């Protein structure tokens, strides 16, 4: 674990209206940019979850970022970039044909590419690994901010280590006010984290995410290995909740509900693909009539987009158990199930 973070900090909040022009946005972001350049820590929105970042060339700031999160130094940060022009000095092999193809299709967007790093990237940022993760977010606020910081920041998800990432700035305030210098907030944040694809040796998916592996395979024209166990975080406790999370499907829902009787219960419901009429609309709400809170999603993409919000909401309500529907592990379903199984302590 990291050193003690310098606590508490005076955290300043900047709310960004997405309809602002690029230059008005940069003016608003300027205090946070200056602070980062002086070793500060900034929470920023991305098109997946909120990130937390610092200057990648400032050793002290990197150490402190680990301390803020309570993150193990073995678990690398990723370089968040606002364009590909900086990459030749940071990684090797970006010019490879298949890397170029993936970047041209999926960047900017929720795909983190892992490549061999150059000496310019600090070992303390990569947990001494010879590789580094590259993330080029598509969120306009993220790119305006990273660009104003010089084009590259060292980032990670803005949650404390072991916890669930945040897609709402209201939720993350509980954990991060007093620990970081700035929180940049914007609306319309949602989703699960980026897909992590290691291209340093073959093509291995280390974490399923918002870009489905099937799409990556289509672009590459060959299969990719799925190696979640090889991620530096594989063993770590992740996506933990206060409530106990249990998964259900149409075949075991009755037993699951019975197991929950007498408990304060939160239920997630996915109406897409419900064949049994009991599982539709009002009937389904009735089936879960004794639940304290039911959150309904109409389809899987929405399930992925709003999952973290819903889990934080139910957890804050103080439910004992959260029941969540299993989905097929294809497309974005692979990422949904990965997070749910981790939260449930199943993997
Ligand atoms: O969508 C996202 O990726 C979010 C937003 C904020 O950008 N970020 C994020 O960061 O989820 P983090 O630190 O929570 O997750 C990055 C993942 C971790 O599982 C880490 O182990 C892996 O990427 N990773 C980073 N660098 C790596 C490397 N050199 N080799 C293998 N895995 C790496
Ligand atoms: Mg994370």
């Amino acid at each position: 674990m990291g050193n003690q973070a310098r606590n508490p900090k005076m955290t300043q909040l900047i709310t960004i209206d997405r309809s602002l022009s690029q230059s008005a946005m940069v003016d608003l972001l300027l205090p946070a940019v200056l602070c980062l350049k002086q070793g500060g820590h900034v929470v920023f929105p991305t098109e997946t979850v909120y990130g937390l970042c610092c200057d990648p060339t400032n050793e002290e700031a990197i150490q402190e970022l680990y301390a803020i999160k309570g993150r193990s130094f073995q678990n690398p940060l990723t370089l968040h970039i606002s364009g590909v022009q900086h990459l030749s000095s940071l990684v090797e092999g970006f010019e490879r044909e298949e890397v170029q193809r993936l970047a041209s299709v999926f960047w900017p967007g929720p795909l983190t590419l892992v490549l061999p790093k150059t000496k310019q990237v600090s070992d303390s940022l990569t947990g001494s690994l010879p590789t580094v993760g590259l993330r080029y977010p598509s969120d306009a606020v993220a790119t305006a901010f990273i660009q104003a910081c010089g084009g590259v920041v060292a980032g990670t998800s803005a949650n404390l280590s072991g916890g669930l990432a945040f897609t709402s700035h209201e939720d993350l305030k509980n954990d991060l006010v007093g620990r970081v210098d700035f929180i940049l907030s914007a609306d319309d944040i949602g989703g699960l984290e980026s897909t992590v694809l290691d291209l340093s040796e073959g093509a291995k998916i280390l974490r399923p995410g918002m870009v489905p592996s099937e799409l990556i395979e289509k672009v590459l024209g060959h299969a990719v290995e799925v190696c979640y166990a090889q991620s530096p975080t594989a063993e770590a406790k992740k996506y933990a909740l206060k409530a106990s999370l249990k998964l259900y499907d149409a075949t075991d829902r009755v037993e699951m509900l019975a197991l929950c009787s007498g408990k304060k219960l939160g239920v997630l419901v996915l109406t897409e693909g419900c064949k049994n009429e009991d599982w539709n609309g009002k009937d389904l709400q009735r089936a879960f009539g004794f639940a304290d809170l039911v959150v309904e999603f109409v389809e899987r993409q929405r399930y992925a987009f709003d999952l973290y919000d819903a889990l934080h909401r139910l957890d804050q309500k103080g439910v004992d158990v959260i029941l969540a529907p299993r989905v097929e592990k294809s497309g974005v379903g692979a990422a949904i199930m990965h997070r749910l199984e981790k939260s449930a302590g199943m993997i």
Side-chain angles (χ1 to χ4, degrees):
M1 287 293 159
N3 305 321
Q4 219 33 50
R6 277 185 271 130
N7 270 335
K9 290 185 171 188
M10 277 286 296
T11 304
Q12 296 181 59
L13 186 68
I14 302 179
T15 304
I16 296 118
D17 177 346
R18 290 189 181 279
S19 64
L20 287 176
S21 69
Q22 176 86 2
S23 66
M25 208 181 265
V26 172
D27 283 349
L28 207 58
L29 296 172
L30 208 55
V33 172
L34 295 175
C35 174
L36 180 131
K37 287 187 172 164
Q38 285 160 14
H41 295 85
V42 179
V43 169
F44 65 107
T46 78
E47 75 282 21
T48 60
V49 300
Y50 275 91
L52 168 62
C53 68
C54 71
D55 177 351
T57 63
N58 183 327
E59 282 299 314
E60 211 177 305
I62 293 171
Q63 304 288 325
E64 202 186 338
L65 193 153
Y66 276 96
I68 290 168
K69 267 195 83 147
R71 186 178 176 107
S72 152
F73 285 118
Q74 267 89 58
N75 193 1
L77 306 175
T78 45
L79 292 178
H80 285 58
I81 58 174
S82 59
V84 297
Q85 64 275 23
H86 308 277
L87 290 183
S88 56
S89 61
L90 301 172
V91 292
E92 281 158 16
F94 185 66
E95 66 294 341
R96 275 164 45 201
E97 201 272 331
E98 64 172 20
V99 182
Q100 287 286 313
R101 197 155 5 123
L102 288 167
S104 68
V105 174
F106 296 112
W107 277 4
L111 177 65
T112 295
L113 297 178
V114 174
L115 285 172
K117 75 174 189 73
T118 66
K119 284 207 178 85
Q120 279 206 33
V121 178
S122 164
D123 282 339
S124 56
L125 191 150
T126 66
S128 296
L129 288 176
T131 54
V132 66
L134 307 167
R135 167 101 163 89
Y136 181 178
S138 59
D139 183 289
V141 178
T143 41
F145 175 67
I146 298 167
Q147 181 65 37
C149 289
V152 189
V153 299
T156 176
S157 55
N159 52 281
L160 302 186
S161 187
L164 208 61
F166 292 103
T167 49
S168 142
H169 69 273
E170 284 302 331
D171 291 342
L172 68 81
K173 278 184 191 163
N174 287 339
D175 284 351
L176 291 168
V177 165
R179 293 180 195 256
V180 301
D181 299 287
F182 278 90
I183 295 174
L184 313 178
S185 77
D187 48 20
D188 275 340
I189 304 295
L192 306 171
E193 299 90 333
S194 62
T195 305
V196 180
L197 179 66
D198 187 346
L199 292 172
S200 63
E201 247 189 86
K204 299 175 189 165
I205 296 200
L206 303 182
R207 177 178 73 185
M210 292 307 282
V211 174
S213 62
E214 294 90 335
L215 267 186
I216 294 173
E217 291 183 331
K218 215 169 187 179
V219 170
L220 286 176
H222 61 76
V224 293
E225 274 182 80
V226 169
C227 306
Y228 305 160
Q230 282 182 28
S231 160
T233 57
E235 302 298 317
K237 185 172 139 230
K238 296 275 286 181
Y239 315 114
L241 294 162
K242 288 191 224 95
S244 135
L245 184 92
K246 297 191 188 304
L247 306 189
Y248 72 85
D249 57 32
T251 57
D252 63 12
R253 69 184 196 272
V254 177
E255 293 100 286
M256 291 309 296
L257 278 169
L259 277 178
C260 297
S261 89
K263 304 239 168 73
K264 193 167 180 203
L265 180 64
V267 181
L268 305 185
V269 165
L270 179 66
T271 44
E272 177 193 59
C274 292
K275 293 195 183 72
N276 184 329
E277 60 180 20
D278 286 353
W279 287 86
N280 284 314
K282 291 224 160 50
D283 288 335
L284 183 141
Q285 297 278 355
R286 220 175 298 138
F288 287 123
F290 71 89
D292 291 84
L293 193 59
V294 177
V295 185
E296 193 170 329
F297 307 93
V298 286
E299 44 89 33
R300 287 184 346 153
Q301 205 62 34
R302 202 66 217 180
Y303 190 17
F305 191 85
D306 287 334
L307 180 62
Y308 285 158
D309 253 18
L311 291 176
H312 280 297
R313 187 139 57 92
L314 293 178
D315 224 19
Q316 283 160 13
K317 278 262 174 188
V319 300
D320 304 312
V321 181
I322 299 173
L323 287 182
R326 290 191 189 91
V327 291
E328 227 179 85
K329 290 180 181 172
S330 61
V332 77
I336 294 173
M337 286 302 289
H338 175 259
R339 306 308 191 270
L340 290 176
E341 287 179 355
K342 281 264 184 192
S343 288
M346 295 163 68
I347 54 173

